[in-house]
Amino acid sequence: MIRIAIVEDNPEVREQLVGYVHRYERQFGKMFELVTFADGDEIVSDYRAVYDIILLDIQMRRMDGMAAAEAIRKVDKDVILIFITNMAQFAIRGYAVDALDYVLKPVPYFAFSQQLQKAVDRLQKRQKTFLTVPVDGGLRRIDVAGLYYLESEGHSVHFYSEDGDLVAPGSLKSYEEKLAGKPFVRCNSGYLVNLAQVLAVQQNTVQVGPYALQISRPKKKAFLEALTDYIGGSVK
């Protein structure tokens, strides 16, 4: 479950943001674990990297949001920060702490929901998926995002990845089924390509990481359509 912290010293605004999170849950069928803080020093004190998203007011009485964000970043490089502010020029400084974005006060629900959706999308892209394959003497987990492509080799499959190569028994079709729902498409009958690793397409060749693979004529149309859909769907 996604954990969200709201840091806002104005009780009315804090309750408004809590209400917006619950409204988003109902609208999109999501469930969040929600925690609130009344000032920046409250979240920074004994901070632990347990949150996925922090909604952070910039102007607070005891510790402003920018100072809190700087302290948080020293121990948590991954949490997504979204600033809540009534002055856009304050939010510009958010780039220094790698803030995702900001929402201007008074906070409208639509703008809030867009930023929350952006944060959820980023979290989903971070989530790792592993493929477990049999190897001599045991099993090995492969990070799917790091795969370049899979190649059929008789009764085995060759995996080419950022972490090195390996060969495992099985058919390309069986691994294609295991990767259903992930951006893997055949560019010919023997190669299953990770679209996220595609760098370029030149005529009948696709550049997948450091590898140049042939695109077969029967697979070309479907492969290019899938690549176009993936690229279009990945742009935020």
Side-chain angles (χ1 to χ4, degrees):
M1 184 178 291
I2 294 174
R3 298 196 72 194
I4 298 178
I6 295 174
V7 189
E8 168 62 61
D9 65 340
N10 185 315
E12 292 182 2
V13 176
R14 189 165 62 245
E15 287 306 307
Q16 179 190 46
L17 296 177
V18 169
Y20 281 176
V21 171
H22 292 323
R23 179 176 171 183
Y24 181 96
E25 288 179 317
R26 294 190 299 271
Q27 182 177 356
F28 295 99
K30 298 281 187 182
M31 287 294 292
F32 301 114
E33 186 176 335
L34 188 59
V35 180
T36 62
F37 298 90
D39 211 291
D41 59 352
E42 289 188 9
I43 190 171
V44 168
S45 176
D46 196 28
Y47 180 85
R48 292 177 297 120
V50 296
Y51 305 107
D52 299 298
I53 303 167
I54 299 178
L55 302 165
L56 194 60
D57 184 20
I58 288 186
Q59 294 176 289
M60 291 181 284
R61 288 185 292 274
R62 297 194 301 270
M63 185 179 199
D64 68 76
M66 192 59 62
E70 290 170 352
I72 288 168
R73 274 289 179 249
K74 290 178 181 178
V75 294
D76 191 346
K77 303 296 184 185
D78 296 325
V79 66
I80 295 174
L81 301 176
I82 299 175
F83 284 118
I84 310 294
T85 180
N86 53 15
M87 300 185 71
Q89 59 263 40
F90 285 111
I92 301 299
R93 294 170 54 202
Y95 290 110
V97 290
D98 191 30
L100 177 67
D101 216 324
Y102 64 92
V103 181
L104 286 175
K105 294 181 178 180
V107 182
Y109 173 72
F110 180 71
F112 176 88
S113 65
Q114 282 190 314
Q115 296 304 329
L116 187 53
Q117 183 63 53
K118 188 189 294 186
V120 170
D121 288 344
R122 177 174 288 189
L123 286 172
Q124 289 174 340
K125 288 181 179 180
R126 285 181 184 174
Q127 291 177 345
K128 286 190 174 184
T129 301
F130 291 94
L131 188 65
T132 303
V133 301
V135 295
D136 291 340
L139 300 170
R140 179 167 167 183
R141 295 170 77 224
I142 302 174
D143 183 358
V144 169
L147 278 171
Y148 294 120
Y149 72 100
L150 287 66
E151 180 182 8
S152 176
E153 291 188 344
H155 296 292
S156 301
V157 174
H158 198 135
F159 298 81
Y160 297 86
S161 79
E162 295 172 350
D163 297 325
D165 308 338
L166 65 89
V167 178
S171 67
L172 193 61
K173 180 176 175 57
S174 67
Y175 286 107
E176 186 175 23
E177 290 172 352
K178 291 178 181 179
L179 291 167
K182 303 298 179 184
F184 284 78
V185 179
R186 295 198 192 212
C187 66
N188 63 45
S189 60
Y191 296 143
L192 185 63
V193 171
N194 184 356
L195 298 179
Q197 295 279 11
V198 171
L199 300 179
V201 174
Q202 186 71 34
Q203 296 180 343
N204 294 322
T205 302
V206 56
Q207 185 73 32
V208 188
Y211 301 98
L213 307 178
Q214 288 296 116
I215 306 172
S216 69
R217 183 174 296 176
K219 299 288 186 184
K220 186 172 184 178
K221 184 174 184 292
F223 178 77
L224 293 179
E225 287 178 350
L227 180 60
T228 301
D229 288 344
Y230 176 77
I231 294 172
S234 297
V235 177
K236 298 296 179 187

XYZ file of all heavy atoms in Angstrom, residues 68 77 84 104 183-184 204 216 222:
67
model
N 12.580 21.420 5.659
C 12.191 20.049 5.971
C 12.567 19.104 4.833
O 13.077 17.996 5.066
C 10.693 19.974 6.242
N 16.360 9.420 -0.410
C 16.525 9.919 -1.776
C 15.338 9.568 -2.675
O 15.205 10.116 -3.770
C 17.804 9.335 -2.403
C 19.081 9.611 -1.628
C 19.391 11.089 -1.566
C 20.728 11.347 -0.875
N 20.997 12.793 -0.708
N 3.049 22.238 -1.464
C 1.788 22.984 -1.417
C 2.161 24.409 -1.029
O 2.758 24.630 0.028
C 0.810 22.400 -0.379
C 0.648 20.877 -0.560
C -0.528 23.106 -0.454
C -0.001 20.471 -1.851
N -0.633 25.056 -6.192
C -0.843 26.396 -5.631
C -2.105 26.445 -4.772
O -3.128 25.845 -5.096
C -0.955 27.427 -6.757
C 0.343 27.818 -7.476
C 0.026 28.745 -8.645
C 1.313 28.491 -6.504
N 6.065 -4.807 -21.269
C 6.310 -4.329 -22.647
C 7.317 -5.189 -23.416
O 8.373 -4.729 -23.824
C 6.839 -2.911 -22.421
C 7.539 -2.999 -21.106
C 6.708 -3.941 -20.266
N 6.968 -6.463 -23.620
C 7.821 -7.371 -24.384
C 7.080 -7.824 -25.632
O 5.950 -8.331 -25.550
C 8.215 -8.575 -23.534
C 9.285 -8.273 -22.519
C 8.980 -7.622 -21.333
C 10.607 -8.624 -22.759
C 9.962 -7.336 -20.396
C 11.605 -8.334 -21.836
C 11.281 -7.689 -20.653
N 15.034 -2.285 -41.090
C 14.662 -3.592 -40.549
C 15.513 -4.000 -39.348
O 15.636 -5.189 -39.062
C 14.761 -4.668 -41.644
C 13.739 -4.440 -42.738
O 12.611 -4.036 -42.472
N 14.135 -4.679 -43.976
N 11.765 -9.022 -38.536
C 11.289 -9.797 -39.682
C 10.101 -9.107 -40.344
O 9.367 -8.357 -39.695
C 10.899 -11.206 -39.249
O 9.744 -11.176 -38.437
N 3.267 -5.258 -36.520
C 2.796 -5.386 -35.137
C 3.841 -4.859 -34.156
O 3.493 -4.225 -33.146
C 2.471 -6.845 -34.831
